[in-house]
Amino acid sequence: MQITLRRTLTLRLAKLANNSHSSLRCFATEAPRIKHYDYAVTDVAVLGGGITGLTSAFYLSQAFPSAKITVFETSDRFGGWVRSSKLDVGGKDVYFEHGPRTLRPNDTNALATLDLIERLNLSNDILTTSKSSPAALNRYIYYPDRLVRLPSSSLRDVLRFVFREQGYEDILPELLYWQILRPRANIPYGEDESIASFLNRMVSPKIADRIASAVFHGIYAGDIYNLSALSVLPWLKFVDSVHGSFLNGMVLSFLQSRQWKDGHWLDVKRQMKDASSKWDEVYEKVKNSSVFTLKGGLEKLVQSLVARLQENPNVRLCRKQAVTRIQDETEDMLTLQITPQVSPKAVPETRHFSHIISTISGSKLMDICYPQLLYKSQLDRTHAVTVMVVNLYYTDPKLNPYSGFGYLIPREVPFEQNPELALGVIFDSDAVTGLDTASGTKLTVMLGGHWWDDWKGQYPNDVEGEIMARTVLRRHLKIDQKPDAVRVSLQRDCIPQYTVGHRTRMSKAHEHLLIMYNGRVRVAGSWFTGVGFNDCTSAAFAVAQGLKDGKMQSGLERVLPGAEKWIRAPLKRRESKASK
């Protein structure tokens, strides 16, 4: 009986998918053909000394041991937004993360990060957060005036959420109406739309506004009504196109024990194997964790990268050195004008390079190209949001009434409950254990993001930021105690926003980069192909690998229309238990 019912449901869903999108014939599409590349890699300039720039330099030095590699960083430090600080509290240590704080081991883009950890001998410094820990099981949303725990993947937990959670009890009727009674428009996979538009079509507006908007406040600090579904949620867009809706696709995946996955990770695995990588040894240590970090914070990886690069006589790391002009003067070499950032009267110098890897923003790259060869490339169309990060430490270890990873705030929360325009709060004491030697409660409040896009005048200063953060904690968590340590950092233009049409713009940029520079100028990093830590290391590995393979590339190949490689893989199932 159960087998017959399961087979019938599978056939009906498959038939619905065929009827809804019969024009989709191929699930895995070929990337555009690339002609052979003939330029010798002798001198490479890497623009930007963040995690992407440093990782690019590292993999370039591995691929081309005799090439000269120079990293140019405008500021006085390397690492970009990856920054950890250590505080002494009564002779014991407390670490604050001002940028990314944890890494996901099962991300398809995690292979380069795991490889770096192994090559830099950091495996013994890994700190993991178990999948059964409160931080993994308890993730909250603040709505409308209290913390609500999000359901796990278990059906029982989902039903509890939709039937019993105050403020969410009207979601199920709307979801049923949207799925059964309301006609739903089918938008082809390659046609872009906002995340809100996609979720409004596929599930319901309330789920978009009350849940999804909070999730993307935590990832992009962005607005789901502007973020691109095709760039941010390509897997869901693809499954929706194949199966008529992504809900049908999820049910079919469960019944058939198979799921759609990005097949590019298989190519990366092969390339890693060819490079004698031992990333899989690191993966064995972290595969059962929800997230992980390193002793001393994530900046330890940056520091280790810098130290390893400084040991290489062919690599030069330059702080306070800005590339202010790129000229294509000869057939084989590019001319860079470099201006020291030590004095307004500093005299620029000129140097020649065979290749340039740019990890700076597209708008900055356009500004320094001379003449303005990229003025039609649309590289300057990607803007970034500003986030204020407020780290707070209290000596009382039982101050927080909740246990979990933290909570995020959706766009539909009434203004009186969030006049500070906070994005969310991370419970650092639970999110990562073993990092600090001092006991206590550690929290991080994130403010601004897309809420500050139209901000007029100066951003809040450190004192105002601390007051705003403490007010959020007082209202939401009833924490009124004065913190024993506080650090406030304003991260200007820290998270690029992939708004609707991002892939089209990247396709245009790809064409212009190849036409103007014949593969000698390539881009990588958060401004183009992914904003996460793993995305950046993966892009750095890919740009070095592209040069090693002798391919005419721009660095944007992964986000080009038709470059996807979707495969059917076995579905991994796991038990999920809610923690009280």
Side-chain angles (χ1 to χ4, degrees), residues 261-280:
K261 294 190 69 174
D262 181 0
H264 282 287
W265 68 278
L266 292 175
D267 296 334
V268 177
K269 284 180 67 176
R270 175 185 53 78
Q271 293 164 350
M272 288 284 184
K273 184 177 180 180
D274 293 342
S276 301
S277 171
K278 297 180 181 178
W279 68 269
D280 51 335

Side-chain angles (χ1 to χ4, degrees), residues 170-179 203-208:
D170 56 347
I171 280 184
L172 184 60
E174 184 182 79
L175 178 61
L176 293 174
Y177 167 74
W178 240 250
Q179 292 296 308
V203 281
S204 76
K206 285 187 172 65
I207 289 179

Side-chain angles (χ1 to χ4, degrees), residues 23-292:
S23 61
L24 188 60
R25 302 298 182 191
C26 182
F27 300 142
T29 54
E30 271 190 37
R33 287 186 179 180
I34 301 171
K35 59 185 179 181
H36 188 66
Y37 184 73
D38 295 321
Y39 293 97
V41 180
T42 57
D43 296 88
V44 184
V46 179
L47 311 188
I51 187 61
T52 311
L54 295 173
T55 306
S56 297
F58 177 80
Y59 281 118
L60 286 167
S61 69
Q62 300 283 309
F64 304 97
S66 61
K68 303 292 184 181
I69 300 164
T70 307
V71 179
F72 294 100
E73 169 56 40
T74 305
S75 73
D76 60 355
R77 63 175 294 273
F78 293 109
W81 303 117
V82 183
R83 190 163 196 162
S84 312
S85 60
K86 183 174 73 171
L87 287 73
D88 182 280
V89 180
K92 295 187 176 181
D93 298 333
V94 172
Y95 288 89
F96 283 158
E97 293 284 13
H98 307 289
R101 65 201 61 241
T102 55
L103 305 173
R104 292 188 176 276
N106 295 304
D107 183 351
T108 55
N109 285 330
L111 270 63
T113 302
L114 299 175
D115 180 62
L116 281 177
I117 290 173
E118 192 279 327
R119 292 181 186 272
L120 297 174
N121 301 317
L122 294 173
S123 298
N124 292 331
D125 293 317
I126 291 174
L127 296 172
T128 61
T129 300
S130 168
K131 291 180 180 180
S132 60
S133 68
L137 298 177
N138 297 337
R139 294 170 185 259
Y140 299 92
I141 283 179
Y142 186 86
Y143 182 84
D145 58 359
R146 63 191 184 91
L147 265 64
V148 177
R149 188 178 67 82
L150 289 174
S152 66
S153 57
S154 72
L155 179 60
R156 179 180 179 182
D157 213 24
V158 172
L159 292 176
R160 175 201 60 79
F161 179 80
V162 297
F163 282 113
R164 296 177 59 183
E165 284 295 351
Q166 181 183 354
Y168 290 89
E169 63 275 356
D170 56 347
I171 280 184
L172 184 60
E174 184 182 79
L175 178 61
L176 293 174
Y177 167 74
W178 240 250
Q179 292 296 308
I180 298 174
L181 300 177
R182 183 178 179 272
R184 193 167 59 240
N186 287 318
I187 295 181
Y189 170 70
E191 186 176 327
D192 205 358
E193 59 185 318
S194 71
I195 292 175
S197 169
F198 175 70
L199 293 178
N200 287 349
R201 278 193 308 110
M202 291 297 103
V203 281
S204 76
K206 285 187 172 65
I207 289 179
D209 289 336
R210 295 183 191 176
I211 299 177
S213 66
V215 172
F216 289 100
H217 279 169
I219 302 173
Y220 283 85
D223 184 0
I224 60 171
Y225 283 83
N226 292 323
L227 290 171
S228 159
L230 186 59
S231 295
V232 177
L233 302 174
W235 178 82
L236 288 180
K237 280 279 289 182
F238 176 76
V239 172
D240 170 63
S241 297
V242 174
H243 297 290
S245 84
F246 75 78
L247 290 178
N248 292 343
M250 292 170 68
V251 173
L252 275 172
S253 293
F254 178 80
L255 295 175
Q256 298 174 348
S257 297
R258 299 186 70 80
Q259 62 180 337
W260 290 106
K261 294 190 69 174
D262 181 0
H264 282 287
W265 68 278
L266 292 175
D267 296 334
V268 177
K269 284 180 67 176
R270 175 185 53 78
Q271 293 164 350
M272 288 284 184
K273 184 177 180 180
D274 293 342
S276 301
S277 171
K278 297 180 181 178
W279 68 269
D280 51 335
E281 295 181 6
V282 181
Y283 180 69
E284 286 298 315
K285 292 187 174 184
V286 299
K287 66 180 182 180
N288 293 320
S289 62
S290 60
V291 294
F292 71 97

Side-chain angles (χ1 to χ4, degrees), residues 346-365:
V347 179
E349 64 171 306
T350 298
R351 291 185 58 186
H352 302 283
F353 294 89
S354 63
H355 294 80
I356 295 172
I357 307 299
S358 176
T359 69
I360 61 179
S361 71
S363 59
K364 289 181 180 178
L365 179 60

Side-chain angles (χ1 to χ4, degrees), residues 4-24:
T4 303
L5 180 61
R6 178 169 172 160
R7 184 181 297 127
T8 302
L9 181 56
T10 301
L11 290 173
R12 286 184 177 180
L13 287 172
K15 183 177 180 181
L16 175 60
N18 291 333
N19 291 337
S20 64
H21 211 284
S22 58
S23 61
L24 188 60

